[in-house]
Amino acid sequence: MSPQTVCKMMQSDKLQSLIGRKKELRALGEAIQKGDSRVVWGPMDVGKTALIKTAISELPDAERRQCIYWTGAASGKQLLSYLVSQLYALSAPFVRKRVSADGVTETSLTRWLHKQTSLRLRGILYTALSQGHYRIFLDHFPPTNHNMTHLMKEIMYRCRTPIYLAARDCSQKGIGKAWSLYWNDGLRLRLNPLPDRIAQKLLAVCIGNF
C-alpha cells in the first residue's frame, strides 16, 4: 500500500467515529507534532484506529506524507522490508541511493527486499530514518518479543523516530516486552468506552450516514 493510498484512506475515515474524542485527539496530535512516542490503548472497538487515522489526517500535508502506517502482525523481517519499501516510496534519499546502486527499479523492489538480510535492511532503515523526520504507526500489533522490542527501541532512540503503538492493554501482557518502551503514564494515551449519551449520539450519526 503506497503512502498516498494510506493518506486517502485515513482522510476518508475521519469524522464521525471521533465524536466524544476531542481531548484524546488533541493529546495525540500534540504528541505527533512533537515527535513523542505513545501507546494508544483501550478495549476492543473503542476507537483506537479511528483516533490514529484522524490524527494523521489532520497533520499538514508535508508531515502527513512522512507517516508510515502498518496494521497487523509482522515478523522482524516483514516489518523491516515494509518500512524500507515505504521509505523508498517516500523518496528517502539514502534508500533510493542504496536501491539504485543495486540496479533495482520500482518493479523489482519487492524481489530485492526479499533477498536482503535483516542485518542489511536494519542498516539501511536506521540510516534513512536518522536523516529524516518520519513517524511510524503500528496498529493491531501483537505483543512483542525481545527482538521486535529491540528493533522498536533502536528506531525510537537511535534514529529518534517516534513509534505510535495501538493496543488493548498497556501492561506487559498486553504489549509484550515493548512495555519497557512505554513504561510511564506520560507515554500512554488511554481511550475509555464512551459514556452512554455520547455513544448514542455516535450511533445515530452512523445510522444517518449509512
Side-chain angles (χ1 to χ4, degrees), residues 1 7 29 32 35 54 71 75 86 92 105 146 157-158 165 170 192:
M1 185 181 298
C7 287
I32 295 173
T54 302
T71 184
S75 67
Q86 293 301 287
T105 64
H146 174 78
Y157 293 102
R158 175 177 173 178
L165 177 67
C170 68
N192 291 311

Side-chain angles (χ1 to χ4, degrees), residues 56-159:
I56 295 174
S57 73
E58 292 189 346
L59 293 171
D61 288 347
E63 294 182 25
R64 189 171 64 246
R65 285 194 291 268
Q66 303 305 304
C67 293
I68 301 175
Y69 179 89
W70 167 274
T71 184
S75 67
K77 177 69 178 294
Q78 286 175 324
L79 187 60
L80 285 167
S81 296
Y82 178 78
L83 294 176
V84 171
S85 71
Q86 293 301 287
L87 289 169
Y88 178 88
L90 292 169
S91 298
F94 186 77
V95 175
R96 289 278 177 162
K97 179 180 178 181
R98 296 305 297 266
V99 169
S100 296
D102 286 353
V104 177
T105 64
E106 186 172 350
T107 56
S108 59
L109 180 64
T110 300
R111 186 166 62 252
W112 178 84
L113 288 167
H114 182 73
K115 293 179 179 179
Q116 305 310 302
T117 64
S118 294
L119 180 63
R120 189 178 189 214
L121 289 174
R122 280 199 301 271
I124 294 172
L125 176 67
Y126 293 163
T127 301
L129 290 177
S130 298
Q131 292 178 353
H133 299 283
Y134 302 99
R135 296 164 176 83
I136 297 172
F137 299 81
L138 303 179
D139 196 2
H140 295 98
F141 210 61
T144 63
N145 58 22
H146 174 78
N147 290 335
M148 184 63 74
T149 303
H150 179 73
L151 172 61
M152 293 171 62
K153 182 178 180 180
E154 290 289 286
I155 290 172
M156 291 166 64
Y157 293 102
R158 175 177 173 178
C159 305

Side-chain angles (χ1 to χ4, degrees), residues 43-56:
M44 181 175 63
D45 295 330
V46 78
K48 299 181 292 293
T49 296
L51 184 77
I52 288 172
K53 290 181 177 180
T54 302
I56 295 174

Side-chain angles (χ1 to χ4, degrees), residues 21 39-48 165-170 189-193:
R21 296 294 187 197
V39 55
V40 179
W41 71 281
M44 181 175 63
D45 295 330
V46 78
K48 299 181 292 293
L165 177 67
R168 296 181 186 176
D169 187 350
C170 68
L189 178 58
R190 181 176 183 176
L191 269 66
N192 291 311

